[in-house]
Amino acid sequence: AQRVTQPEKLLSVFKGAPVELKCNYSYSGSPELFWYVQYSRQRLQLLLRHISRESIKGFTADLNKGETSFHLKKPFAQEEDSAMYYCALRGAGFQKLVFGTGTRLLVSP
Amino acid sequence: EAGVTQFPSHSVIEKGQTVTLRCDPISGHDNLYWYRRVMGKEIKFLLHFVKESKQDESGMPNNRFLAERTGGTYSTLKVQPAELEDSGVYFCASSQPITGELFFGEGSRLTVL
């Protein structure tokens, strides 16, 4: 079975502090991992995917197959990073995304 | 270019009534997905269309839910009769190709009283 776990419902940090949003997954094969973000009054949108190995808006995420994790990190949080973040998985041969419950990031000034 | 559009944005109905949600995907996107987020829980997959065909409907909760995609363009999701536990936000997404990025609509919030 495919499952994504985001243990934190809310993560509150101050501007300029480092941020790490945790994501662990359960899947027996080689998954494709994603981070989606929903800013206030905006639609859900792709932030980054592990295969592209990009840094988007200063965020990075590394797939750790040994720990089955795909944590999202940013060294210095900005107020505009405040949003709901969802980790998602797509298994080989499957087209659907499996989402976690999401983590709300709140960056205070 | 217009994104994925969903209608209505919010619907309030009473238990036992019928509601139909509509999704217009991005033009040219063959893949259309329906997801649902119930308060406090994950965004859960409902089903996936490729053009007009149902590719995967393993997430449909029960036979009170009926999804269609006539002509492979827009899609509707009908809930009949609605129950309290159907309340949530229903998201539609489209993609092209199948492994491409999913583009989401703003969601349709359904409240069943």
Side-chain angles (χ1 to χ4, degrees):
Chain A
Q2 303 172 66
R3 188 165 59 240
V4 175
T5 302
Q6 293 181 252
E8 305 138 328
K9 285 190 174 180
L10 172 65
L11 186 61
S12 186
V13 302
F14 288 106
K15 176 182 171 182
V19 167
E20 182 179 52
L21 288 84
K22 290 185 168 37
C23 171
N24 287 87
Y25 66 90
S26 174
Y27 180 65
S28 56
S30 292
E32 194 174 357
L33 274 294
F34 305 81
W35 277 99
Y36 277 77
V37 60
Q38 187 170 26
Y39 300 102
S40 179
R41 288 184 290 277
Q42 293 188 29
R43 61 190 66 199
L44 198 61
Q45 58 188 284
L46 178 66
L47 180 62
L48 54 82
R49 56 200 301 177
H50 89 272
I51 59 172
S52 60
R53 295 182 167 273
E54 294 175 300
S55 171
I56 305 293
K57 297 184 179 182
F59 284 97
T60 58
D62 290 317
L63 179 60
N64 186 323
K65 292 186 178 180
E67 295 183 358
T68 60
S69 69
F70 188 57
H71 303 326
L72 183 68
K73 300 177 185 179
K74 184 169 182 176
F76 308 104
Q78 302 299 315
E79 288 178 70
E80 56 265 29
D81 295 329
S82 295
M84 195 74 181
Y85 290 79
Y86 293 92
C87 184
L89 172 155
R90 180 160 60 201
F94 297 96
Q95 292 80 47
K96 67 186 181 188
L97 287 181
V98 175
F99 286 88
T101 50
T103 297
R104 180 169 297 283
L105 175 64
L106 182 60
V107 182
S108 304
Chain B
E1 180 183 334
V4 177
T5 57
Q6 292 187 247
F7 181 83
S9 57
H10 192 187
S11 180
V12 181
I13 61 173
E14 293 190 350
K15 175 182 170 180
Q17 290 187 318
T18 298
V19 64
T20 300
L21 310 178
R22 174 172 169 144
C23 169
D24 286 76
I26 292 172
S27 178
H29 280 196
D30 290 339
N31 297 284
L32 187 150
Y33 304 82
W34 283 98
Y35 284 85
R36 175 173 73 173
R37 183 178 64 205
V38 172
M39 179 92 70
K41 297 195 174 180
E42 74 272 25
I43 298 173
K44 203 164 182 183
F45 169 81
L46 296 178
L47 86 158
H48 168 210
F49 282 100
V50 178
K51 296 185 180 180
E52 68 276 8
S53 299
K54 291 176 185 174
Q55 180 79 6
D56 180 355
E57 52 183 327
S58 61
M60 294 288 264
N62 50 60
N63 58 10
R64 295 185 293 103
F65 288 74
L66 176 64
E68 294 180 322
R69 191 181 181 193
T70 307
T73 54
Y74 70 92
S75 175
T76 58
L77 179 64
K78 182 161 72 173
V79 185
Q80 178 183 31
E83 297 289 344
L84 299 179
E85 64 264 25
D86 300 333
S87 296
V89 180
Y90 290 77
F91 292 101
C92 177
S94 69
S95 73
Q96 186 74 4
I98 201 167
T99 55
E101 175 183 349
L102 262 63
F103 293 88
F104 281 82
E106 294 184 321
S108 290
R109 180 176 295 278
L110 174 63
T111 302
V112 183
L113 302 176

